[in-house]
Amino acid sequence: MGLLEMFAAQIRSDATFRDRCRTCHDRAYGFARLNLMERDGVLQGRYSGRAVGPFLAGGHARLTPEEPPR
């Protein structure tokens, strides 16, 4: 999932980022600008190079398997 897809998913979501992520990561656009990048259509951590999707699905912030795609 690229950056544009991520932002579109946030708009369509049930506020998962606001409810589950914002406490630690502040506003989504600021977090994305500073910490994420898109490489070959894959959203990755800017410094780790780790793909975000599998990282979130692996239990980050105790997300359920259904929550990361939202």
Side-chain angles (χ1 to χ4, degrees), residues 5-6 13-15 23 25 27-29 31 35-36 38-39 42 45-48 53-55 60 62 70:
E5 292 174 60
M6 180 192 73
S13 81
D14 57 356
T23 301
H25 298 299
R27 300 190 59 96
Y29 71 86
F31 178 78
N35 298 291
L36 301 176
E38 184 176 346
R39 180 175 287 151
V42 176
R46 180 177 305 277
Y47 304 105
S48 69
F55 173 70
H60 179 74
R62 295 184 292 274
R70 293 195 308 231

Side-chain angles (χ1 to χ4, degrees), residues 6-70:
M6 180 192 73
F7 289 130
Q10 287 177 3
I11 291 168
R12 294 187 305 269
S13 81
D14 57 356
T16 300
F17 188 93
R18 182 194 70 213
D19 297 341
R20 301 292 303 276
C21 310
R22 189 171 176 182
T23 301
C24 296
H25 298 299
D26 202 20
R27 300 190 59 96
Y29 71 86
F31 178 78
R33 183 173 50 87
L34 295 174
N35 298 291
L36 301 176
M37 68 179 186
E38 184 176 346
R39 180 175 287 151
D40 299 325
V42 176
L43 188 61
Q44 298 179 340
R46 180 177 305 277
Y47 304 105
S48 69
R50 183 186 297 184
V52 171
F55 173 70
L56 293 176
H60 179 74
R62 295 184 292 274
L63 294 172
T64 67
E66 295 80 30
E67 287 176 308
R70 293 195 308 231

